[in-house]
Amino acid sequence: MGLTAALIGGFSGFGMQMMTNATRKVPMSRQPWMHVAYFCVGCWAGNKYVAVEKSLVKDINEIRADKGMAPMVGTGAYIKYAPAE
């Protein structure tokens, strides 16, 4: 999932820079290093989102265990909510 999240985040960052240039009505290719910088920041943010989501699910399952509830149940396709048994 890391590559997919990085690419989605990267293209989102690139798109933000393109939208900024369009809003300012300057040529789209102005400051090309900013396109690269926004792409890299977007890649980082995409990967960070996946890590934060996994840690949140882990914290939620700990809270649910303290309350005597069953852990979250998911499909297991994207993030496995419950630990493997």
Side-chain angles (χ1 to χ4, degrees), residues 6-20:
L7 288 177
I8 290 171
F11 284 118
S12 296
F14 177 78
M16 281 192 280
Q17 177 60 21
M18 294 292 282
M19 185 61 74
T20 301

Side-chain angles (χ1 to χ4, degrees), residues 66-80:
D66 289 343
K67 292 182 177 183
M69 300 169 70
M72 289 178 63
V73 178
T75 62
Y78 177 56
I79 293 178
K80 294 183 179 175

Side-chain angles (χ1 to χ4, degrees), residues 4-80:
T4 303
L7 288 177
I8 290 171
F11 284 118
S12 296
F14 177 78
M16 281 192 280
Q17 177 60 21
M18 294 292 282
M19 185 61 74
T20 301
N21 283 354
T23 304
R24 292 170 37 208
K25 296 187 185 212
V26 297
M28 293 294 174
S29 61
R30 181 168 290 178
Q31 298 177 332
W33 59 88
M34 290 299 289
H35 292 75
V36 175
Y38 274 68
F39 185 86
C40 292
V41 169
C43 287
W44 175 81
N47 282 327
K48 188 68 174 173
Y49 176 78
V50 172
V52 167
E53 189 173 10
K54 285 181 182 179
S55 69
L56 284 175
V57 169
K58 182 180 172 213
D59 291 343
I60 289 170
N61 283 338
E62 287 177 6
I63 292 170
R64 289 175 65 93
D66 289 343
K67 292 182 177 183
M69 300 169 70
M72 289 178 63
V73 178
T75 62
Y78 177 56
I79 293 178
K80 294 183 179 175

